[in-house]
Amino acid sequence: MNAVIIVLIILVVLAFVALIKTIQVIPQASAAIVERFGRYTRTLNAGLNIVVPFIDTIRNRIDLREQVVPFPPQPVITQDNLVVNIDTVIYYQVTDARAATYEVASYIQAIEQLTVTTLRNIIGSMDLESTLTSRETINAGLRGVLDEATGKWGIRVNRVELKAIEPPTSIQDSMEKQMRADRDKRAAILTAEGARQAQILTAEGQKQAEVLRAEGEAQAAVLRADGEAAAIRTVFEAIHEGDADQKLLAYQYLQTLPEIAKGDSNKLWIIPSEVGDALKGLSGAFTGLAPKGSDAPSDSNGSAVPPPRMEKRREYPSIDPE
């Protein structure tokens, strides 16, 4: 009785194990390789799959999502014989689970070694300056070679990136000094250009100010000349309209002479020759106004001669030449 129970228990356990091995659940974005007696049979896709227990075995489970694999720094020699350390990152995706399982033993290791050799070939044909400034070119070259080589392995390389390019310490110091000198040079050039532009603008401003000042002075001189001409014309017309005689003009002439001597800079005053003629005119004007007395003229009989009759003359206003 006990033996029958033991056998039943064993059969139940075997049935349970067989059921577990028969039903295979594959997660999304994954695949499984099934072998029967060591030979590839089929590839299980995501979902519920049935296999033959104890005959079919799961060889490998492969993640079909895009993978990111960073590789450690690799020493690479440039064309100018400088050793640089380059870190790379590979973005790849398995497209054929069967090829990734049977075409290469370890596709991760194969991709790493292929990346190192390809990187050395590309960097070996470039100098240090080109290496530091040609990341896109290096990335494109690496991706082209890796994508072509890994296609038969069921791998697609989506992207290759250079994380860091580290030149030797001495080269870094030299580069920093060169960059500092270049920045100082650019700063000096910008300062000089700014000073030059400021001087040019200042000179142009002064030039425009001088031109405007000269134009203003010219316009002012023209206006002053026009005013003086108008004043002279007005005086001239007033004299002619008033029919002034010679005596009045001589009087106005004498009134104008002191105005000529005004001013601190006038050290010497030269009297024109016309002053005598003006004085003669004035003396003639005042002769007829002499009073009666001992000096009065008399006739041949000794009788005083009466002064000539004074005619009423028109009074003319004083004319200012200015």
Side-chain angles (χ1 to χ4, degrees):
M1 185 67 180
N2 293 331
V4 174
I5 295 174
I6 293 174
V7 170
L8 290 176
I9 293 173
I10 293 174
L11 291 176
V12 171
V13 170
L14 290 176
F16 183 75
V17 171
L19 181 62
I20 292 176
K21 287 183 173 294
T22 300
I23 300 174
Q24 296 291 331
V25 178
I26 306 300
Q28 183 66 33
S30 298
I33 302 299
V34 178
E35 293 182 348
R36 180 172 295 176
F37 302 114
R39 185 176 180 179
Y40 171 76
T41 303
R42 58 196 176 101
T43 301
L44 301 181
N45 297 320
L48 182 63
N49 296 273
I50 305 298
V51 297
V52 179
F54 306 109
I55 296 177
D56 294 339
T57 58
I58 304 298
R59 166 69 185 272
N60 193 13
R61 294 178 181 269
I62 298 177
D63 193 345
L64 301 180
R65 295 174 297 178
E66 186 173 4
Q67 304 293 320
V68 181
V69 180
F71 296 144
Q74 299 295 329
V76 182
I77 301 176
T78 62
Q79 188 179 13
D80 46 358
N81 296 324
L82 293 175
V83 179
V84 294
N85 293 323
I86 300 180
D87 296 350
T88 55
V89 178
I90 303 296
Y91 296 81
Y92 73 93
Q93 185 177 9
V94 177
T95 57
D96 189 353
R98 177 181 176 281
T101 303
Y102 296 103
E103 296 296 333
V104 61
S106 176
Y107 55 85
I108 297 295
Q109 186 177 1
I111 292 174
E112 180 181 2
Q113 296 302 319
L114 183 59
T115 301
V116 172
T117 55
T118 305
L119 191 61
R120 288 177 178 174
N121 292 333
I122 295 174
I123 300 299
S125 59
M126 305 171 64
D127 56 8
L128 179 60
E129 185 175 358
S130 300
T131 302
L132 295 175
T133 58
S134 303
R135 289 176 175 260
E136 293 297 331
T137 303
I138 297 173
N139 293 340
L142 276 174
R143 181 186 174 187
V145 174
L146 291 176
D147 198 17
E148 182 181 359
T150 58
K152 62 180 179 181
W153 301 339
I155 307 294
R156 183 178 68 245
V157 177
N158 297 326
R159 193 175 183 85
V160 180
E161 293 291 341
L162 301 182
K163 288 177 59 178
I165 301 177
E166 298 179 359
T169 305
S170 59
I171 301 299
Q172 292 182 4
D173 295 339
S174 300
M175 292 172 61
E176 290 179 358
K177 292 180 180 178
Q178 182 180 1
M179 293 175 61
R180 191 178 301 112
D182 290 340
R183 286 195 296 269
D184 294 340
K185 177 182 177 182
R186 288 196 297 269
I189 291 174
L190 292 176
T191 303
E193 290 181 352
R196 173 176 173 270
Q197 190 68 21
Q199 292 177 358
I200 291 174
L201 294 176
T202 302
E204 290 180 353
Q206 293 177 354
K207 177 182 176 182
Q208 293 178 359
E210 293 293 336
V211 170
L212 294 176
R213 190 178 299 110
E215 291 178 354
E217 292 177 355
Q219 293 178 0
V222 171
L223 293 176
R224 284 195 298 269
D226 293 341
E228 293 176 358
I232 293 173
R233 190 181 304 110
T234 303
V235 172
F236 183 78
E237 292 176 355
I239 290 173
H240 282 276
E241 290 177 358
D243 194 15
D245 57 2
Q246 184 67 24
K247 297 174 182 180
L248 179 60
L249 294 177
Y251 178 71
Q252 292 295 332
Y253 182 73
L254 290 177
Q255 282 186 337
T256 307
L257 287 178
E259 299 295 330
I260 301 176
K262 287 184 179 180
D264 298 334
S265 61
N266 294 331
K267 303 299 183 182
L268 180 62
W269 185 27
I270 300 175
I271 299 176
S273 61
E274 290 82 358
V275 176
D277 297 336
L279 292 176
K280 290 180 181 179
L282 288 177
S283 63
F286 288 103
T287 300
L289 300 176
K292 296 181 180 180
S294 60
D295 294 335
S298 60
D299 57 4
S300 61
N301 297 323
S303 298
V305 179
R309 184 180 179 182
M310 298 297 294
E311 296 180 358
K312 186 178 181 180
R313 299 180 178 273
R314 296 174 60 185
E315 294 183 358
Y316 295 92
S318 176
I319 298 176
D320 190 355
E322 295 184 354

